Amino acid sequence: MEVKGIDRYWNPILETLPQEKLRELQFKKFKRIVEWGYNNSKLYRRIYDEAGFKPEDLKTWSDIAKVPTLQKEDYRDAQYKEPWPYGDSLCVPLEKVTEYHQTSGTTGQPVYQPDTWQDWEWWSESWAYILWAQGFRDTDRVFIPFGYNVFVAYWAGHYACEKVGCEVVPGGILNTEERLLKIKELKASALMATPTYVLSMAESCRNKLNMEAQDLNVQKILCAGEPGASVPTTKKRMEDAWGAKVHDHVGATEIGGWSYECTAQPGGMHPNEAFFLVELVDIESGEPIEEPNKPGKIIITAFDREAQPCIRFDSKDVSMWAEEPCECGRTFRLLKGGIHGRVDHITKVKGVLFSPVSVEEVVRGMPELGDEYELIVSKKGDTDVITLKVELEPETNATEEDVQPELARQLRLKTNLAYKIEFHPFGSLPRYEIKAQRFKDQRKHD
Ligand SMILES: [Zn+2]
C-alpha cells in the first residue's frame, strides 16, 4: 500500500523533524534519562560511579560516548533480589509496576522486565509508529499466530494495533492448521510473525491443507524476532508465498520496538529516533561510526522508559548506516540491510569474517532449495569446516548433482569460503515454531 502526504506518518512532526532539531531533542532526552537512571537505580549509580562518570559531565553531543555502556549481564547481576525480582535495576517503587515480561533466556538466565503503566503506554505508542509506517490502518484485521506468554513483543504489537484502530485476532492455543483456517474464515488482512513461522505456515498450508497461502486474504506481514525480512531472498520467498508485502521490525525486551522498515521498502530500517538514541560503534574499538557503509555494533538508549531504563545498552546487533535518506520522507536515518547478525554470531572462520545471514541469502535465493537449512562450524585438526545442510524442494526437477556446483559457487562468491554441502530429504531438517537456531559453532566446545 502506498500512502502519500501527511497520512504517511504516525507522528508527522517528529518523523519529519530536520536532523539538527532531532539531535537537539535527542540530546535533551538523553540527558534526562541518564539523570533518572543515576538518581533512581543502584545499578546505574554503581556502573557510573565505577567509571568516574557523573550526569553533569554530559555537556555536548560528543560526551555521550563517555557514558558507560550496559550489558545484558549487568541486568542479570542486578536482578533476582529485593525488590523481588528486579533488584537494583528498578527505578520506581515496586507498586508502580503494572507489567511483567521477560527475555526468552536463550543466552542465559532470562532478564526480568518491569514496566509501569506509563511505560506500557510508551510501548504501544512506539509500536504504533511501526505499524503505521507499514500501512496498518483501522481497516485491517490483524491475526497474531502465537500465544504471547511472558514475551513482550506480541503483547506490545497487540495493544498498538488497537491504538491505530486495527481489529486484532489473537491466535494462541490453536495449532498451525487451525490458525490458517481461522485466517481464511475471517479473511484476516494482516499478520505478525517471525520469518521462520511465516515460511513454515506457508509450507503447512500447501502440504497439509492443500491450499496456497497466497489465496488467503493476507496483504501485509510484519516480521519480528529474526533478521529474515531484511534478507532480500528470504523476504521474496515470504512475499511470493503469501502474495503479501513483508516488512521488517527489530525490537528487544530490554530496549523496546526501536526500528522498522517503511512501505517504501528501502532495503533497510529506520530507527525510531524520536524515542531512541541509536548509535553505531566500531566492534573492536567502540569508536562512534557516522559514515555510511561501515559495519558496527548498535548501542541503544530508550529515552522515556522509567521502571527499568535502558541507557547505552549494548544490543550486540550489527548493521551500517545507509548513504541516502529514505524516499518516504522520514528524517530518521536508515540502517542499510537491517540487522546483519549479532556480534557473537559474526565470527572468524578460516581467518575470514563470516556472517551466517549471508548463507541464508544464498540458500533462499535458489528456487531448487527448500526454506530450511542448517549451518555448523566445526574443527577438523587445525582446520575450520563449515557444513551446510539443505533440502531440495519436493517439486523441483533438479538433482543434487545439478544444484551442488552452483550453490558452492554462489557461497564462495558471497562469503569467500568453501563449504561441505549435505543434501537431506525434504522435511528432515528441524522445523521451528517461532525462532530458529540454524547456526551452530561447535569449535568452542572442542
Ligand atoms: Zn522510509
Side-chain angles (χ1 to χ4, degrees):
M1 187 189 68
E2 195 48 44
V3 186
K4 301 272 181 220
I6 203 166
D7 191 41
R8 210 172 204 184
Y9 314 111
W10 174 249
N11 187 320
I13 295 171
L14 289 173
E15 289 178 83
T16 59
L17 211 58
Q19 284 264 325
E20 204 186 298
K21 290 266 168 221
L22 200 49
R23 300 291 162 253
E24 253 174 59
L25 176 73
Q26 287 187 307
F27 189 67
K28 234 180 236 176
K29 288 190 151 213
F30 183 78
K31 222 172 139 54
R32 190 179 65 177
I33 194 71
V34 167
E35 280 162 12
W36 173 261
Y38 188 76
N39 293 330
N40 295 288
S41 119
K42 288 182 189 161
L43 167 66
Y44 281 104
R45 180 162 290 243
R46 185 167 61 239
I47 291 177
Y48 293 177
D49 281 348
E50 278 169 13
F53 169 81
K54 291 257 179 296
E56 49 272 30
D57 298 342
L58 264 175
K59 295 197 172 64
T60 64
W61 186 268
S62 60
D63 296 330
I64 291 173
K66 294 180 189 158
V67 181
T69 55
L70 190 84
Q71 307 296 321
K72 208 184 194 88
E73 298 76 59
D74 293 324
Y75 282 132
R76 286 196 188 112
D77 294 347
Q79 295 186 335
Y80 221 64
K81 56 183 161 194
E82 298 295 333
W84 195 265
Y86 310 112
D88 293 348
S89 66
L90 193 64
C91 266
V92 294
L94 193 55
E95 57 269 27
K96 286 269 187 195
V97 175
T98 59
E99 315 296 317
Y100 170 84
H101 298 98
Q102 65 172 62
T103 61
S104 60
T106 41
T107 54
Q109 186 187 303
V111 172
Y112 303 122
Q113 188 62 54
D115 282 301
T116 62
W117 183 249
Q118 181 183 308
D119 288 333
W120 193 236
E121 292 290 309
W122 168 89
W123 265 103
S124 49
E125 178 65 10
S126 53
W127 258 82
Y129 280 71
I130 302 169
L131 293 169
W132 199 263
Q134 303 190 349
F136 285 68
R137 294 293 184 272
D138 56 7
T139 43
D140 280 308
R141 179 173 289 149
V142 184
F143 192 87
I144 310 182
F146 295 113
Y148 319 155
N149 194 1
V150 289
F151 308 117
V152 73
Y154 293 98
W155 284 109
H158 183 126
Y159 279 88
C161 274
E162 293 179 353
K163 187 162 186 171
V164 306
C166 303
E167 183 185 342
V168 196
V169 186
I173 309 292
L174 307 177
N175 65 32
T176 299
E177 285 97 287
E178 290 164 341
R179 285 169 185 158
L180 285 159
L181 291 170
K182 203 65 175 167
I183 290 169
K184 183 170 187 258
E185 173 196 337
L186 296 177
K187 298 194 168 104
S189 64
L191 199 64
M192 278 185 205
T194 57
T196 290
Y197 197 52
V198 170
L199 287 171
S200 86
M201 277 176 106
E203 193 183 293
S204 298
C205 203
R206 186 178 313 129
N207 297 337
K208 297 195 177 141
L209 296 174
N210 228 355
M211 296 189 298
E212 290 297 325
Q214 55 183 276
D215 296 333
L216 303 170
N217 184 48
V218 174
Q219 292 137 32
K220 49 179 106 53
I221 300 174
L222 184 161
C223 281
E226 297 173 319
S230 281
V231 177
T233 53
T234 301
K235 185 198 277 288
K236 187 171 184 314
R237 279 196 178 213
M238 291 190 275
E239 292 197 329
D240 290 350
W242 286 85
K245 281 282 178 195
V246 170
H247 296 112
D248 201 4
H249 142 69
V250 179
T253 313
E254 308 92 324
I255 307 167
W258 62 272
S259 180
Y260 53 87
E261 187 183 5
C262 64
T263 48
Q265 293 190 314
M269 279 188 297
H270 294 286
N272 181 343
E273 297 192 292
F275 277 52
F276 300 90
L277 178 69
V278 175
E279 302 168 70
L280 209 59
V281 303
D282 188 273
I283 294 168
E284 312 263 301
S285 71
E287 288 296 312
I289 297 173
E290 294 299 336
E291 67 266 41
N293 298 320
K294 193 174 171 211
K297 189 167 69 163
I298 301 171
I299 307 286
I300 311 180
T301 302
F303 294 132
D304 309 289
R305 227 174 153 180
E306 61 175 11
Q308 182 165 277
C310 171
I311 306 169
R312 295 205 85 217
F313 181 74
D314 182 352
S315 76
K316 297 199 160 46
D317 285 331
V318 174
S319 187
M320 58 171 76
W321 295 119
E323 58 268 60
E324 300 291 339
C326 184
E327 63 181 54
C328 72
R330 282 179 183 79
T331 47
F332 297 169
R333 289 177 290 181
L334 261 187
L335 289 167
K336 192 174 175 177
I339 301 304
H340 305 189
R342 290 180 58 79
V343 173
D344 30 10
H345 279 180
I346 294 178
T347 121
K348 278 198 173 166
V349 176
K350 297 179 191 170
V352 177
L353 216 52
F354 167 76
S355 160
V357 173
S358 352
V359 174
E360 173 165 324
E361 201 173 336
V362 171
V363 171
R364 299 265 170 84
M366 296 191 65
E368 302 88 352
L369 296 178
D371 294 328
E372 287 305 330
Y373 69 94
E374 210 167 59
L375 201 54
I376 300 155
V377 183
S378 55
K379 233 178 174 43
K380 201 171 181 188
D382 284 338
T383 321
D384 294 330
V385 180
I386 320 178
T387 307
L388 173 63
K389 300 181 182 180
V390 290
E391 297 177 348
L392 280 183
E393 258 300 307
E395 276 152 40
T396 183
N397 294 321
T399 63
E400 294 173 12
E401 290 71 30
D402 300 333
V403 178
Q404 210 273 351
E406 181 57 18
L407 179 58
R409 191 185 72 83
Q410 289 199 28
L411 287 167
R412 184 175 279 284
L413 265 178
K414 186 88 195 164
T415 66
N416 265 319
L417 289 163
Y419 296 74
K420 184 172 164 239
I421 297 170
E422 287 179 6
F423 286 88
H424 289 253
F426 186 81
S428 66
L429 291 178
R431 261 59 179 168
Y432 298 91
E433 176 80 338
I434 301 182
K435 286 196 202 185
Q437 295 285 339
R438 299 191 179 92
F439 175 62
K440 296 180 181 80
D441 191 345
Q442 294 175 341
R443 293 172 301 177
K444 289 160 192 163
H445 310 294
D446 287 349

